[in-house]
Amino acid sequence: MAGLSEKPQALGIDQESAEANKNSSSNKKSVHNRLLEKDKEEGGQGGDMSPSAGSSIKRSGSRPQLDVSKAEIQGNVEEKYPTILLPNQSDDLSHLALDIGGSLIKLVYFSRHEDQSTDDKRKRSVKERLGLSNGNRRSFPILGGRLHFVKFETRKINECLDFINSKQLHRGGAESPYADGATDGNAIIKATGGGAYKYTDLFKERLGVSLDKEDEMDCLVAGANFLLKAIRHEAFTHMEGQKEFVQIDPNDLFPYLLVNIGSGVSMIKVDGDGKFERVSGTNVGGGTYWGLGRLLTKCKSFDELLELSQKGDNRTIDMLVGDIYGGLDYSKIGLSASTIASSFGKTISEKKELEDYRPEDISLSLLRMISYNIGQISYLNALRFGLKRIFFGGFFIRGHAYTMDTISFAVQFWSKGEAQAMFLRHEGFLGALGAFMSYEKHGLDDLMVHQLVERFPMGAPYTGGKIHGPPLGDLNEKASDRNSKYLISWMEKFLRKGTEITAPVPMTPAAGTTGLGGFDVPLSRGSSLRSDASALNVGVLHLVPTLDVFPLLEDPKTYEPNTIDLADPSELEYWFTILSEHLPDLVDKAVASEGRTDDAKRRGDAFARAFSAHLARLMEEPAAYGKLGLANLLEMREECLREFQFVDAYRSIKQRENEASLAVLPDLLMEIDSMDEETRLLTLIEGVLAANIFDWGSRACVDLYHKGTIIEIYRMSRNKMQRPWRVDDFDLFKERMLGTGDKKKPPHKRALLFVDNSGADIVLGMLPLARELLRRGTEVVLVANSLPALNDVTAMELPDIVAEAAKHCDTLRRAAEAGGLLVDAMINSSRSSKGKSSSVPLMVVENGCGSPCIDLRQVSSELAAAAKDADLIILEGMGRALHTNLNARFKCDALKVRSDCLLLLFCA
């Protein structure tokens, strides 16, 4: 990983981990501890376990497929992403579904993906060699796009209609051929909820569409099943203000109890996809709380009533056990003095009128009364059917921390700790999502968990001189939508001036950039009744059919990419400080990459403010966007840069360092070739360690650059890589590579080299190692980022680097030709004609991510295909070999290398 300082260390009807690869035979110390100690530990690898390839989400056995016959490109074929017409497709694929409740309208809509990679000759060559095709896309008519989740208050239904009209969602989206014309009067939108009946005429009048009503409970269950299978960290518990995510095995999901708390409460026993039964309910639900609360407190909105409860003290109204027993517990039956004996019971003995009681106390007492009863009735129904899992959802919860705590306490109390209340991050969208899935051609129910990626808003509203973010609305609108008042991108909200959004202005002279670092003051935690707004803050689901689980993981079910536990407050504070301190330098490089224009400076300031707002939010509430790991945090930074249109902040630095490193590569290769086999192997590994220290942003690297040229620094650094290293498995690696005595093992068939930084790291470190493997008859696949992240090399950049290196090395040239890397390269014709093309190829594949870290549960289909015949993995760099995947266990040999902590970990 580049650019960071390093730290070596994870009855009513409702309306609405893995262990380290090596264990000591005596005390089983973790690999992580081995970074902090210089002891050499001996040990073996854990037993082999059968992996799971992922759980397919299926609801229907078959459906009509998208008709792609006679498809043709519309307009200019030279466009980067030309529109494709499907003349024989008989039906339009609808892009919108609604759940219209009494209080909220929930929308789920689809937009086509914009970020597609180019399919150049090199990529086609690699795909042909790996046996890849795009045939699987025929099963996914709308994939390669995004699912958006949006809410409107029902009383503001006209705003909802304006939003739908502005995006042409009722006509299949703005990119639909029908977007600019009138509908034919037969357009249909799937909808559920009571409002689907109440507002059907309004939709017909305003939009010219009909609402096709879907059964509410069918939709709830379909939405819940999809989310629990598709989103890795969808379910969580909430006790005493602490949110903990629960990993649900899709193969062990059923049966469960789904408790939907809308105006009333429905309790649904779910036995499978499309198999459910409403087994109970209660008419005491969210409507009860809102109705009684409105009468008793005069509040004008549900949220106002919840807000009141945060400041309340129920002891002034509720009769507690201690009130009956003189302040004592009733220990014989296990009741504490603070247990509510009778909700509102204390008002019986007090000569007070309604106006004598604080509205805050009334709201809290009412909230506890209803929440406790729902929790108890839910548990009794779970007990009745022998169900261990209870999921709660619905408008009543509204992401309110105290509501969840109260329900959780009730379930825990009545079950004596044997059952847990669980909640869903997307709970407000179950019905809308289920309605969306009722379209026959959506393709969602064929998805697997690893094919969905959730992205969060990278901007935050800036009003009244403060950042109030991140926002909770529709968060992924792009530049093409800018003319609509509903569709302004989050970047623009930082840059434009308007009545609601005030543009932040640079606080330093125009010649520079503010490079804002540090945190905005986090919002106060307040009392334990603080509303947990994060449950309303859900991201956009990106549907990516070209993602796969890395097939060489020993056990994907137990794999945990993050090495560092950010649940540890000290780790969280450390990394947030690192990211904050590094922010000014990152902003400076980002602005420089865009020529330091005024627009770039403004965007740089906006990026700094937005990312600081995210850090402040996450420091206050680490689970705001789901389970937080270091990989997620670093990826969020890169997404934020891209949101503010900084495509590659280190572009110029990478180009300069690549050129400097390639210039000295011939001398290095000549030096390496003069060594005997054992010395050469050690020198190559030392070279990888030495070259990996060229990590722009680290102080050590900057200091080195003041002391000499790139080759001088490389050699000086290599000389300092004296053994023993903190984790030193070189002897194990040497034995596998060279053998001992007369015992020699055959060379590896295929090696996957996960590369890190541009410049010296790839050119002077990893390419010479790849060359050595090629000379031994091993196919080599260089695995690089799909998108830029700091100064990491990308898969798009690597072929040109290899082509330049191949000018100085016949081994690299022949391997690159065999691997299809020199299709477009400028190689001297006389050199390229010499000899036969090597049968051992050098290939480049993208890893499917744009972060310094990598989660091997979601990699590109290219990488997954390349891995099937691989028997050696080399993970290089802080992000990929330490911060993630240090403890990952593989089915084949694996070498993990990192310079800063002198790590060489080999597992055979």
Side-chain angles (χ1 to χ4, degrees), residues 668-675 680 683-684 718 768 771:
L668 176 62
L669 295 181
M670 187 180 300
E671 176 192 351
I672 291 173
D673 288 344
S674 68
M675 301 175 180
R680 184 168 70 246
T683 300
L684 287 167
R718 195 178 73 190
R771 175 176 176 261

Side-chain angles (χ1 to χ4, degrees), residues 604-639:
D605 286 325
F607 158 72
R609 292 174 182 270
F611 188 60
S612 291
H614 280 278
L615 292 179
R617 170 70 180 276
L618 288 169
M619 190 66 190
E620 177 195 2
E621 186 192 350
Y625 307 145
K627 186 175 181 180
L628 181 64
L630 184 58
N632 312 105
L633 194 59
L634 297 179
E635 186 173 24
M636 177 173 286
R637 178 185 59 188
E638 302 306 321
E639 286 293 321

